[in-house]
Amino acid sequence: MTTTSLTQMREPVAIIGMGCRLPGGVNDPDQLWKAVSQGRDHITRVPEDRWKAMVERMHPTQVPAEPFPAGIVDHGFDHAFFGVTADEAAEMDPQQGWVLEVAYEALADAGIAPFSLAGSRSGVYVGAASVDQAAKNFAPRNRAGVFTSSGAGMAILANRLSHALDLDGPSLTLDTACSSSLTALHYAVRDLRTGDVDQALVAGSNVLTNPVITTSFTETGVLAPDGRCKPFDQDADGYVRSEGAVVLVLTRANLAVERGHRVWANVAGTGLSHGGRSPHLLAPRSSRQAQAIRRALADAGVAARRVGWVQAHGTGTKAGDRVEAVGISQGLEQDLPVAVGSVKSVLGHLEGAAGVLGVMAAALAVHHGQVPPTSHHHRLRDGLEGRIRVPIELEPWPYRTGDDGGRVAGVSGFGFGGSNAHALLAQAPGLESPEREDPMPLPETVFVSAHTPAALSAAAGHLAVNAPRGGSVGTVADTSLARGPHHRYRAAVTTADLGSLVQGLRALQDGTPDPHVVAPRSAPDKRPRVVFVYTGHGGHYPASGAELMCLPAFARAVEEARAALAQQSGYQVWAPGEAITGFVDAQHCTTLTQIGLTALLAQRGIEPDLVLGHSVGEIAAAHTAGVLGLDAATRVLARRSELLSGLSDVGGLLAIRASVDEFDAFTAPDEGRVTIASYSAPAVQVVAGPTQDLDHLQARLAERDVWCKPVPDVIPAHSPFVEPLVPALREALAGLVHRPAQVPIVSTAHPDHPRDTVGLWNPAYWSEQARRPVRFTRALSAAASEGEGPVVFVEIGPRALLVEHVAHTLPQSATCAVTGDPYGLAQGIGELYTAGVTPTGPIERAHPHLVIAPGWDRTGRAAPVDDGGALPVPAPDQVEAHLITEVSRLLPLPEGLDMDGTWIESGLESHGLLQLTSRLRRVPPWARIDVQAFLPDQTWRQVAAALVERLPDPHQPSPEGSPSVLP
């Protein structure tokens, strides 16, 4: 073997993600480390509801006085998330559901989006030895269905995960009894080193539903009467069975470094052996166990003296403990007793999953640099002195083993048929922790999503636990964006400090109100069209954008616009944070803020599909659309605000809550001196007129209890008062360069004009635009009708002025506002997210230490709705309803079943058609029906008619002389 090939074969494999579903609610690496480092006992007894079913399957002479002690895991499975129907889930081995869910959690721990693996050379290697579900599904006289075989086939444990992730690599389920998953790890490491796969998911699982297996082990004498594993103890008398699943995500160490993954530990080497012809099939053999250890050491190129601790198989059986202790001392040949431990003392024996659970526990020990205690160990068994020692308290890693290359741990797994496996885990280079919280942080937007409201609640709860690890809200925000699943049900939390973030996440989890939470809602199936609506006059204030100037994208856009505006104005113009001294500053504030906010949104990948602007906001809209370059836009702003400011003393604007018809009645006494300047909403108008007339109008409206409010720092724009200024404005804008729109734009002065009207945005337009009323409601309707599908209107300006008007005008459309204060920005982005617009950045602060764990919906249980026997025969007029009920078990039917559509048009796949046929056969007259009844061109109504024809004649007596149709 060449040096290069030897190096390649010894290349370490990085564990970049870990997930688990273990007894006592241990469901992630942190919880597992707490359990093992604190020696918590997680063994209980089989729950009463499950025990009743077990008792029915036991021989009467073997039923114990009380339920078996065991490590128990909730059998809940979010089948809908994975597209599994309730009928299929009811026949599925619980292990299949665990492996699916835990694999997604392990991928989240690795910072890998599951969809990103589609088509990749990723392998799935599952170790499992439990045939409990097969014993149930394949039991005598059990009514078989479409999913009976796939629900219990051991190969499906791996295959279902490969199918869900659309993987292209090997998909294997290995059974070597209790060494199954460690053997699976061995073959995964081999395939990674040879380059056959780039990623591997290694899983182990075990389930306890068949009491006969536990009874058999009781007869064999390997189970502890008190239900506790006491590894290597003088009083060791057997083990306790447990269920659960563990999944590890592996890749080559060089790829892990290259891609910036957090690495829990490296798998340095693995080795296999077999006990051969021992005294009997189930008898372990120490020399062969030692051989597996030596092979792992040789595979890793690691000296035996570097192994500081061994996560032993450690079941607590007398023969097993003695043989294993001898094998460890022979395999490692260390001068001092080898430190060993066993996670089984805390969680019980997961049998087929025991190996990867040992790897996960050892990886955590290597990562933390501590040796966990072994519970229920009090006195070393006689005869093992000098070979091993069993720490019973949390200890620092033995210094002598880590001084020349890092910490190394061994993991053993032995099958009761003699199949042995050993793995060596080595310390991996650590990553720097996330930066701590900025002393002057800006509010950030943290994104939370899931596929159902209940799952969203669970996801928020997970993030509430994990968020402090991020060190700052900015890190959590970027990580939630970069690594979040971005499912349909969405919410956000907008805050600047971790305490408020956790509080907001807990509120999301509990469904209680919180000021930092953007309320959850269901986003549309496809990204909505985004319409930017630029606010007109009235939202200005001195601090608009001042805090946002610390964001480079905002500051750069604002300063560039200020420089261009100063060039046009001939003086230094308003800057964020400065006092607003009049109309001109107010107009400048509005446009500069809008330009800066648009740049910030663009940096986040949020760009409009269409724009429109209200009054002065149309300048920023035209700039965003590409109609006006920066010089042209600032020229319009400078000349327009300068000329209009001369009207400050002649009149103003008044917003009133009234329809157009009501306005006519209210202003009749003014004899036309008060006119509508903005058609803002169906029941809101902004009117212009002389100050005295507006005062009188306001008094009359107050008498009628009609809401109205003067607009501050304003002139009577969009009214006849502007008419004398139109020629001067047209002259001031002569030669203005305008270009074809790059983004569609709707004019609020001429909303009915085709967008491509020649010269629409020329100097004449901009001079008339200040005179003509703002046809805002009509422009909104034009924007909404530009395309099909959902749309979200985003108001952009110093403050939100128009959101309510948009919602009033187009109540079916989503609305939000992005404003010139940090909270307004964060809130607006959160509302956009919940409307279905996912930002693309920033993600620079995303950190591998922070896990965005998925949430699962546990509100429903997949359980058979009947015993599988015959179903009642429906009356002829109920056949359609019966058919719809059966189809609804296989398809979501939010709008019901179109009886004039075919099964293909309804979205039913061929496998689902087989399931439907199987269900229909349970009605006796349809027992021989087959898929030929569902020809592709047959409508559901025709199918129902064919089913009616197969019903017996209710007037024809049955052979027994009783009616042939049930009443």
Side-chain angles (χ1 to χ4, degrees):
M1 182 179 291
T2 67
T3 302
T4 301
S5 61
L6 180 62
T7 301
Q8 180 180 354
M9 293 309 296
R10 285 181 173 173
E11 180 183 2
V13 168
I15 302 174
I16 59 174
M18 302 194 296
C20 58
R21 190 76 79 249
L22 298 170
V26 174
N27 294 329
D28 62 41
D30 282 348
Q31 292 174 347
L32 177 58
W33 180 244
K34 287 178 182 177
V36 298
S37 64
Q38 298 174 13
R40 298 179 180 179
D41 191 330
H42 288 73
I43 303 303
T44 55
R45 290 189 179 270
V46 174
E48 191 62 33
D49 57 343
R50 208 192 301 183
W51 182 244
K52 290 179 181 178
M54 285 184 166
V55 168
E56 292 175 359
R57 301 172 68 183
M58 283 189 275
H59 192 278
T61 64
Q62 294 180 313
V63 177
E66 55 185 342
F68 295 137
I72 297 298
V73 170
D74 183 5
H75 283 199
F77 169 50
D78 192 349
H79 60 89
F81 176 87
F82 295 97
V84 175
T85 66
D87 283 348
E88 182 175 6
E91 292 198 79
M92 274 175 56
D93 190 335
Q95 296 178 99
Q96 294 183 21
W98 292 339
V99 169
L100 284 173
E101 290 186 351
V102 176
Y104 273 61
E105 292 168 9
L107 288 169
D109 186 59
I112 296 175
F115 69 84
S116 69
L117 296 179
S120 67
R121 293 194 310 168
S122 299
V124 176
Y125 306 78
V126 178
S130 171
V131 294
D132 291 30
Q133 190 71 23
K136 175 184 176 183
N137 284 19
F138 305 148
R141 303 187 65 80
N142 183 53
R143 190 184 193 283
V146 175
F147 306 116
T148 302
S149 296
S150 62
M154 293 297 286
I156 305 300
L157 285 175
N159 298 162
R160 194 179 284 279
L161 180 55
S162 297
H163 173 267
L165 294 171
D166 191 19
L167 305 183
D168 188 36
S171 188
L172 314 172
T173 301
L174 303 175
D175 180 0
T176 61
C178 301
S179 60
S180 296
S181 55
L182 203 55
T183 301
L185 175 73
H186 172 84
Y187 287 108
V189 169
R190 291 298 182 272
D191 285 355
L192 283 162
R193 284 174 169 174
T194 60
D196 287 347
V197 297
D198 294 323
Q199 287 88 213
L201 286 91
V202 177
S205 65
N206 197 53
V207 69
L208 306 180
T209 56
N210 185 356
V212 177
I213 299 173
T214 302
T215 303
S216 172
F217 286 166
T218 300
E219 293 290 320
T220 308
V222 298
L223 299 186
D226 64 355
R228 297 298 183 273
C229 294
K230 299 173 276 291
F232 307 105
D233 191 80
Q234 180 64 27
D235 295 329
D237 53 0
Y239 66 84
V240 61
R241 302 186 72 207
S242 292
E243 62 184 4
V246 173
V247 179
L248 310 176
V249 182
L250 309 177
T251 191
R252 291 185 290 279
N254 62 333
L255 287 179
V257 173
E258 179 183 312
R259 296 170 181 171
H261 288 291
R262 181 269 320 276
V263 178
W264 288 106
N266 286 326
V267 181
T270 60
L272 303 180
S273 71
H274 191 274
R277 186 177 285 276
S278 59
H280 62 81
L281 176 65
L282 305 185
R285 194 171 173 184
S286 58
S287 63
R288 297 295 179 86
Q289 292 182 4
Q291 186 72 308
I293 295 174
R294 293 190 190 102
R295 286 171 179 165
L297 290 168
D299 182 52
V302 170
R305 62 183 174 78
R306 287 188 52 204
V307 179
W309 177 68
V310 175
Q311 169 62 220
H313 193 61
T315 56
T317 60
K318 292 185 180 298
D321 281 2
R322 177 183 56 79
V323 170
E324 182 173 10
V326 172
I328 290 172
S329 64
Q330 290 178 351
L332 294 178
E333 298 179 331
Q334 294 188 3
D335 297 334
L336 298 174
V338 179
V340 302
S342 175
V343 71
K344 294 177 181 64
S345 67
V346 171
L347 294 164
H349 189 1
L350 269 74
E351 298 167 343
V356 286
L357 174 56
V359 170
M360 187 172 178
L364 290 167
V366 168
H367 177 77
H368 290 285
Q370 294 177 299
V371 173
T374 293
S375 299
H376 309 303
H377 181 91
H378 303 289
R379 182 163 66 92
L380 189 66
R381 182 178 171 178
D382 292 342
L384 302 186
E385 300 87 350
R387 295 184 180 275
I388 63 170
R389 70 177 187 89
V390 182
I392 59 174
E393 294 182 350
L394 188 65
E395 297 181 358
W397 199 265
Y399 73 92
R400 64 181 181 82
T401 64
D403 58 5
D404 58 347
R407 299 181 285 271
V408 178
V411 182
S412 288
F414 307 129
F416 72 166
S419 184
N420 307 316
H422 192 81
L424 291 171
L425 303 188
Q427 180 183 358
L431 287 178
E432 291 186 9
S433 297
E435 293 184 7
R436 307 311 296 175
E437 196 157 357
D438 189 319
M440 296 291 289
L442 290 182
E444 305 271 3
T445 309
V446 174
F447 308 98
V448 188
S449 77
H451 67 292
T452 68
L456 180 70
S457 171
H462 292 318
L463 189 52
V465 173
N466 292 335
R469 189 175 297 128
S472 71
V473 177
T475 297
V476 180
D478 285 14
T479 309
S480 71
L481 179 57
R483 296 180 178 167
H486 308 309
H487 289 302
R488 181 175 185 181
Y489 287 89
R490 300 177 167 200
V493 181
T494 59
T495 184
D497 66 274
L498 284 170
S500 296
L501 173 60
V502 171
Q503 177 181 316
L505 290 168
R506 290 300 184 195
L508 265 178
Q509 181 184 17
D510 299 337
T512 55
D514 186 275
H516 299 100
V517 170
V518 178
R521 62 175 162 174
S522 175
D525 292 332
K526 67 175 185 178
R527 179 186 183 276
R529 292 180 296 118
V530 177
V531 177
F532 281 5
V533 179
Y534 289 91
T535 306
H537 190 88
H540 54 276
Y541 64 102
S544 178
E547 291 182 85
L548 298 179
M549 289 296 285
C550 67
L551 302 177
F554 183 88
R556 183 167 51 251
V558 169
E559 290 302 338
E560 288 177 357
R562 284 189 68 238
L565 183 58
Q567 184 72 25
Q568 298 292 338
S569 302
Y571 56 86
Q572 287 297 314
V573 298
W574 176 88
E578 295 180 355
I580 293 176
T581 59
F583 176 79
V584 172
D585 283 353
Q587 297 265 295
H588 292 179
C589 167
T590 298
T591 303
L592 292 173
T593 301
Q594 290 168 338
I595 290 174
L597 290 173
T598 302
L600 273 182
L601 291 173
Q603 184 192 40
R604 287 155 173 75
I606 302 172
E607 296 185 330
D609 298 295
L610 184 144
V611 299
L612 59 90
H614 187 288
S615 188
V616 68
E618 200 160 51
I619 298 174
H623 179 54
T624 300
V627 169
L628 299 179
L630 188 58
D631 288 340
T634 52
R635 181 181 175 191
V636 172
L637 176 61
R639 301 285 83 78
R640 184 183 186 276
S641 58
E642 179 185 11
L643 285 169
L644 293 182
S645 66
L647 301 176
S648 297
D649 297 330
V650 300
L653 299 175
L654 180 70
I656 64 173
R657 183 163 289 135
S659 66
V660 174
D661 290 340
E662 289 172 327
F663 160 79
D664 290 340
F666 292 155
T667 58
D670 300 311
E671 300 178 346
R673 293 187 302 276
V674 175
T675 59
I676 295 180
S678 172
Y679 297 85
S680 298
V684 177
Q685 321 301 325
V686 176
V687 301
T691 302
Q692 185 175 7
D693 288 314
L694 292 180
D695 291 342
H696 292 160
L697 175 60
Q698 186 175 0
R700 292 197 302 272
L701 294 175
E703 291 175 359
R704 302 189 186 190
D705 201 24
V706 176
W707 179 90
C708 60
K709 182 179 181 180
V711 180
D713 301 323
V714 78
I715 54 94
H718 308 288
S719 75
F721 282 98
V722 182
E723 191 72 42
L725 302 179
V726 170
L729 186 54
R730 184 184 297 117
E731 181 179 351
L733 297 177
L736 181 77
V737 175
H738 64 284
R739 300 170 296 197
Q742 302 300 305
V743 176
I745 179 171
V746 173
S747 164
T748 48
H750 300 288
D752 298 326
H753 276 39
R755 292 201 316 269
D756 56 357
T757 301
V758 176
L760 179 62
W761 303 100
N762 61 16
Y765 174 85
W766 290 106
S767 57
E768 289 286 341
Q769 186 258 12
R771 160 65 183 88
R772 298 182 62 86
V774 180
R775 306 279 180 178
F776 188 61
T777 54
R778 192 174 299 177
L780 289 175
S781 298
S785 64
E786 278 289 312
E788 298 180 353
V791 59
V792 56
F793 288 86
V794 187
E795 180 180 2
I796 299 176
R799 286 197 180 101
L801 300 176
L802 303 174
V803 166
E804 290 187 11
H805 301 335
V806 178
H808 188 192
T809 305
L810 301 170
Q812 302 304 315
S813 297
T815 60
C816 66
V818 175
T819 60
D821 67 285
Y823 273 103
L825 171 67
Q827 180 86 5
I829 291 174
E831 291 176 348
L832 270 168
Y833 178 72
T834 62
V837 181
T838 306
T840 59
I843 58 173
E844 294 81 9
R845 295 167 294 182
H847 199 280
H849 284 181
L850 181 62
V851 178
I852 309 300
W856 306 117
D857 189 340
R858 292 284 185 261
T859 57
R861 293 278 179 164
V865 295
D866 50 55
D867 61 4
L871 297 177
V873 180
D877 62 350
Q878 293 299 310
V879 169
E880 283 195 9
H882 181 92
L883 183 60
I884 291 171
T885 298
E886 293 297 344
V887 175
S888 68
R889 295 168 64 88
L890 305 171
L891 290 175
L893 300 173
E895 298 179 2
L897 181 65
D898 179 7
M899 294 301 293
D900 294 316
T902 67
W903 63 271
I904 295 176
E905 293 169 341
S906 299
L908 191 67
E909 296 181 350
S910 57
H911 196 68
L913 183 60
L914 290 174
Q915 172 67 359
L916 175 62
T917 306
S918 179
R919 291 280 306 177
L920 292 175
R921 287 181 185 139
R922 296 173 60 188
V923 177
W926 303 333
R928 297 185 181 279
I929 196 170
D930 58 29
V931 293
Q932 296 302 316
F934 298 92
L935 296 175
D937 59 349
Q938 289 280 94
T939 67
W940 290 115
R941 200 176 306 280
Q942 291 171 319
V943 170
L947 294 175
V948 170
E949 290 179 2
R950 291 173 180 261
L951 296 179
D953 186 344
H955 304 294
Q956 185 72 29
S958 68
E960 292 77 19
S962 58
S964 59
V965 177
L966 297 176

